[in-house]
Amino acid sequence: MKIETVINAEIELLTAIKKSDVMALETILHDDLLFNMPDGQTITKDFDLLTYRSGKMKIDFLEASDQIVNIIENTAVVAVTVSLKGAYDNNAINGVFKYIRVWKKIGKNLKVIAGSCVQLA
């Protein structure tokens, strides 16, 4: 696995999030995904996709910076800072978040198998 492949997968993921592209997210996220939200809630792929399908999640601005990629065999761990503006269930989201995502090569594709994010002060 090459770092460029992981960086491209991250770009594809962030683009899908910005556009609320459920079809792309369906492909990118692993069926058994677990993701820890800033409030401590652990969500699944199905829950995440439902927030986009229902229109509850709206992203107005998303910009990534300070990306670190570590590759460990057929798995990649990405730490990235994301500036985000939008709304979830009509509640404003506006801040800088630190994400960690775990990508795994499954067949020919990279999929997000786990992740977490915290809001930075």
Side-chain angles (χ1 to χ4, degrees), residues 27-84:
T27 303
I28 296 167
L29 304 177
H30 190 277
D31 289 345
D32 295 320
L33 167 77
L34 290 178
F35 190 91
N36 288 333
M37 301 296 289
D39 65 1
Q41 179 185 13
T42 300
I43 64 168
T44 62
K45 174 182 178 175
D46 289 339
F47 182 91
D48 195 30
L49 292 178
L50 184 62
T51 65
Y52 289 100
R53 273 194 197 103
S54 67
K56 282 186 178 182
M57 179 63 83
K58 301 238 189 269
I59 304 297
D60 299 317
F61 175 83
L62 186 153
E63 185 175 83
S65 62
D66 304 325
Q67 188 178 60
I68 301 166
V69 178
N70 283 350
I71 295 176
I72 305 158
E73 295 178 15
N74 65 348
T75 305
V77 180
V78 176
V80 62
T81 302
V82 175
S83 180
L84 188 62

Side-chain angles (χ1 to χ4, degrees), residues 2-29:
K2 295 180 181 173
I3 286 180
E4 296 81 21
T5 306
V6 178
I7 290 169
N8 288 337
E10 277 281 318
I11 291 167
E12 190 179 330
L13 173 65
L14 295 178
T15 301
I17 291 169
K18 279 187 219 176
K19 294 180 176 180
S20 294
D21 185 344
V22 175
M23 295 296 285
L25 291 169
E26 179 78 45
T27 303
I28 296 167
L29 304 177

